[in-house]
Structures are given as C-alpha cells and as structure tokens.
Amino acid sequence: MDKAEVRKHIRALKAAVSPEEKLRRSEAIMHQVEALPEFQQARVVLLYWSMADEVQTHAFVERWHKEKTLLLPCVDGDDLRLRQYTGPQCMMAGEQFGIGEPTGEEYTDLDHIDLIIVPGVAFDRQGNRMGRGRGFYDRLLKTTPTAVKVGLAFDFQMLDHIPVEPHDIRMNLVISE
C-alpha cells in the first residue's frame, strides 16, 4: 500500500472503535509509558495533546505536569513550536487545526528534552512512523537528535512495513496495547 492507502485504511479502522474503547486502550498504553525507565528518568518530556482519533494523552498530561516539565507542540505555519503545559488554564485552541495548545513562552532549549512521545497514523516493526503527511514531526525530530523518541499507537496501527522516505525519522520504541 502507498501512504494514501495506508492513511485511508487506518482511518477506517479508527472509525470502527468507540471513543470509550479508545480511552480504555489509551490508558493501557499510557501505563506502559509510565513504566519506561526512559520516562521515569526524564525531566523534560515533549508529548502531544491528543486529537479524538489518537492515543489519548489528556489525563496523562494532567497527571504528570507537576512532576516533570511537559512540553506540547503548537503549530506555527509549517513548523511546531514548543510550550510548557502548566495546567488546563494555559490551553487554547490552535489557530490552524483547533488542537489544544499551551500559551506562554516558547521553549527553545531543545537539547534538554529527554523524551519525545509522538503520535502517528501508522508505525511498523522497525520503528518507522507515518504521520498525517505534513512533516511537522519529522522536521521537529531532526532538531532533537539526543532525545529518546517513542511512538504511540493502537494495535491496529502497527503494520509489518510502511512506506518510508529519506526525511522520515525512526522511533527508538513504539508502544501499543
């Protein structure tokens, strides 16, 4: 399958799972993240504010933001800017996609990010990731070469192989149910 076919296939699989089931599966995935030594040792973690069809991160962000520096991406044109999550009061709907984004100062000390938790449309057994097609995360991940990169996926998002291009950044680990 090419990338468009993979995206269409995964979109259909996601649509077949109820919001309640996505939340239940997400909780199991996020418990695995909490058990990772890389997460336990991390002081600065970049993750994402989940959309309805992604592994849900809202409760995780709320649970950990007082213990660790949690960064969330904010869409700025074709790039992602990072800002710290300090609580629900800091969130607003992003201008381009309406995804929740924190307000406040941009976080620019990218060398201090210990762990990056990334969504994706699909992942393969080799750690390759396929996103939604705009390259936001690939561009950001190139600027954080020392951070451990962890992809999150529901089991049905894990494929044997996905199409890979030279600019695609591989994950160190992918966690699913």
Side-chain angles (χ1 to χ4, degrees), residues 121-140:
V121 170
F123 296 88
D124 68 19
R125 309 284 176 213
Q126 296 74 43
N128 293 306
R129 171 189 171 275
M130 186 173 68
R132 295 181 187 264
R134 299 270 310 265
F136 288 111
Y137 275 98
D138 289 316
R139 284 189 294 281
L140 175 64

Side-chain angles (χ1 to χ4, degrees), residues 81-123:
R81 306 282 179 225
L82 309 180
R83 292 192 173 84
Q84 184 174 349
Y85 178 87
T86 56
Q89 77 287 346
C90 80
M91 297 296 283
M92 63 176 233
E95 291 181 17
Q96 276 194 2
F97 301 105
I99 302 167
E101 297 180 352
T103 58
E105 294 295 311
E106 182 177 350
Y107 185 93
T108 58
D109 202 355
L110 303 183
D111 291 337
H112 282 104
I113 299 173
D114 301 305
L115 179 68
I116 302 175
I117 299 172
V118 184
V121 170
F123 296 88

